[in-house]
Each structure stands twice: as C-alpha cells, then as structure tokens.
Amino acid sequence: MKKLLAIALVFAAITVKGQETKEEPKEGWKKSGIVTFLFNQSAFNNWLAGGTNNISGTLGVNYDFNYAKGDWTWDNKIIASYGLTKLKSEQAQKTDDRLEFNSIAGKKASKNWYYSAFFNFKTQMSSTDVNGVQTSHFFSPAYFQFGPGMMWKKSDNLKVNIAPATSKLVVLSPDLAPAFGVDLGESTRYELGAAVNAYYKFNLMENVSVENILNLYSNYLEEAKNVDIDYTVNVVMKINKFLSANLALQAIYDDNAFEGFQTREVFGLGVNYNF
C-alpha cells in the first residue's frame, strides 16, 4: 500500500506542476469522443532489396461522458481498439484488441478531494491463437475492479483515485485454465487489495495532445509486493480536422498472466471523426 501511495503522490506532484490552468466542471453532461482509423500498406514488385506485400488497419474509439452537479461528479470512459494485419500468402493476424470501461463517482469532501467509488471492466473482442492453440477469447479473460476510496480531482483532465479496499474478479473459461491466475477447473479468481488510478491529459504543443492512463493494483491476499501495472500513453498529432498521426504505447505487468512486462505499440496515420 505504501508503494502505491508513493507512486500516486509522485504522479500528482508531476502533473500539478505541468497543469497551468484549472478547469471547473460544468453542470450537467459533458461528452466528447474520437473515432480513429489507422492504415498502413506496402507493395513490392521486382524489388531487388526484398520486401513482402502487406496491409494493416486499426480502428479505435475513445469516448468520455462525464456528469457534474453541485458536489457530485461522475466520470465515464470507453476505450476500444481492434487491428488486423495481412501479409501476402499468410492469414490475417490480430495486432490490437482492447475493450475497456472506466467509471468513477465522487462527492466533494473538501477542496479538490472527493469521496469516491469506482468500477473498471476490461476484456478483448476476439480469440487469440498461439501455434494453433486458443489462449483467450471474448470475455475470457475478463477483469472487474470496484471499490470505495478518495479521489483528488483538479479537472476532467487531471485526477488520481486511491481505493484501499478494492475487489478484483478475473473471469476465465474453465477450458483455458490454469491461466491468468485462475486455477485448473475454476472459472473465476477473486482478489482484495489496493488500487491507484491516475489520469492526465495535456497539450504538449499546438495540435499535439498527450493522454496518460495509469492503473496500479496490489493484492493483499497473495504477494502484495507484486504490484500490477497498466500504463498507457496516447499521443495525437493533429494535421487537420480529419487527419492525424497517432501513437499508442502500453506496458502491462501482471505476474499472474506473464512473468515480465507486456508491451504494445501502435503508430500510424489516422483518419479521425470527433463526436
């Protein structure tokens, strides 16, 4: 718990320094979102240096719908992305697969502090096969986290939530166990621990936005010192109203799933639609 609190305070200190203005939440609903399609293609014909024809695309959605009234706030975010790549003479392969929903409600306690309750759900949208063996599919695994806590919120773009009594549930098809911490013959795994969730979005320069999402979790019931980490950075470099260069970086550490860091990087020219 001390390690999680320390990381949360460092994150807050860095982001407070970088945030110059304070956004006061407006009454009622505030909604914003973006749909992005990233496309890459290469073609070769009698190219002596070598190369393989390929085509790839990634479709992503990032949607926020937040509510504020009096001392109450309710922030919600949906993140979804799916990508495929096709090499000549080979079957299409998945390059990205993510579905996540975050929700946090808060009642003002004092200044920028709120009593809070949060809920997080994440899974994937299609099956994953490794050497012909299915290792995961939709809703397997599925992760749920929820619990009460305290939230420090300066604006919709800068907030940290600390939940010292967080329940975590992992759901997995029995035929895929043992995996993701779920024991053989079981379909669920329950954990109780502490969670720290931080969000910070800022403009690095004109037409360049950076979104940081950090999730930490420590399981009291087993190896509390092994903190699960999920950190995502989304960079959007706007070219015009409809075009942008997009970079997504994600690093995950969860020793129940894999003993080491999992990393993901997606970069490409994007066609965007804001709503």
Side-chain angles (χ1 to χ4, degrees):
M1 182 62 187
K2 291 181 180 179
K3 185 185 295 185
L4 269 66
L5 286 172
I7 294 174
L9 291 173
V10 170
F11 184 92
I14 294 173
T15 53
V16 168
K17 185 177 180 180
Q19 188 83 355
E20 295 180 354
T21 60
K22 178 179 179 180
E23 299 178 16
E24 292 292 344
K26 297 180 180 179
E27 296 282 311
W29 286 100
K30 181 180 179 182
K31 304 174 184 178
S32 64
I34 183 171
V35 177
T36 303
F37 179 67
L38 303 180
F39 177 77
N40 293 282
Q41 186 263 341
S42 298
F44 305 90
N45 185 29
N46 300 323
W47 191 253
L48 299 182
T52 302
N53 293 355
N54 66 86
I55 184 171
S56 65
T58 301
L59 181 65
V61 176
N62 192 329
Y63 182 59
D64 295 273
F65 49 109
N66 302 334
Y67 181 80
K69 186 174 182 180
D71 290 341
W72 289 90
T73 66
W74 184 24
D75 298 345
N76 302 276
K77 175 182 279 289
I78 296 175
I79 301 173
S81 59
Y82 192 81
L84 291 172
T85 185
K86 176 70 169 66
L87 298 177
K88 183 179 179 181
S89 302
E90 294 185 12
Q91 292 185 344
Q93 297 183 5
K94 184 168 58 173
T95 56
D96 199 6
D97 189 356
R98 182 184 185 190
L99 178 61
E100 183 169 353
F101 171 66
N102 292 286
S103 182
I104 181 168
K107 185 181 189 305
K108 185 181 285 288
S110 63
K111 232 175 176 181
N112 294 326
W113 285 97
Y114 294 77
Y115 304 109
S116 66
F118 89 101
F119 172 79
N120 170 267
F121 164 74
K122 58 184 178 182
T123 187
Q124 60 189 61
M125 291 177 278
S126 68
S127 299
T128 302
D129 296 320
V130 178
N131 298 323
V133 178
Q134 188 178 74
T135 58
S136 60
H137 54 77
F138 175 68
F139 210 80
S140 186
Y143 297 91
F144 299 85
Q145 285 190 32
F146 49 91
M150 293 293 294
M151 174 175 62
W152 180 86
K153 180 179 180 180
K154 188 174 183 181
S155 70
D156 284 345
N157 291 331
L158 178 56
K159 50 197 168 186
V160 177
N161 187 67
I162 304 171
T166 297
S167 291
K168 179 178 179 180
L169 182 67
V170 184
V171 178
L172 184 73
S173 295
D175 57 300
L176 298 180
F180 303 99
V182 178
D183 294 332
L184 182 65
E186 300 292 330
S187 59
T188 60
R189 172 186 171 88
Y190 175 78
E191 299 179 4
L192 177 66
V196 173
N197 311 106
Y199 180 84
Y200 179 42
K201 183 178 180 180
F202 64 96
N203 291 324
L204 184 63
M205 58 183 68
E206 186 177 1
N207 295 329
V208 179
S209 66
V210 181
E211 181 183 52
N212 297 270
I213 305 171
L214 174 65
N215 299 305
L216 306 174
Y217 181 78
S218 173
N219 179 18
Y220 296 145
L221 306 179
E222 182 181 311
E223 297 290 342
K225 64 180 181 180
N226 291 347
V227 178
D228 294 344
I229 303 170
D230 188 341
Y231 178 54
T232 302
V233 179
N234 296 313
V235 182
V236 177
M237 294 160 277
K238 187 176 180 180
I239 299 172
N240 56 38
K241 184 177 180 180
F242 298 106
L243 295 176
S244 68
N246 297 263
L247 172 65
L249 300 170
Q250 185 176 14
I252 295 176
Y253 179 82
D254 181 353
D255 59 345
N256 289 319
F258 178 75
E259 294 186 359
F261 274 95
Q262 306 170 58
T263 59
R264 173 180 75 93
E265 182 251 318
V266 179
F267 177 77
L269 181 66
V271 178
N272 304 322
Y273 173 73
N274 293 275
F275 61 97

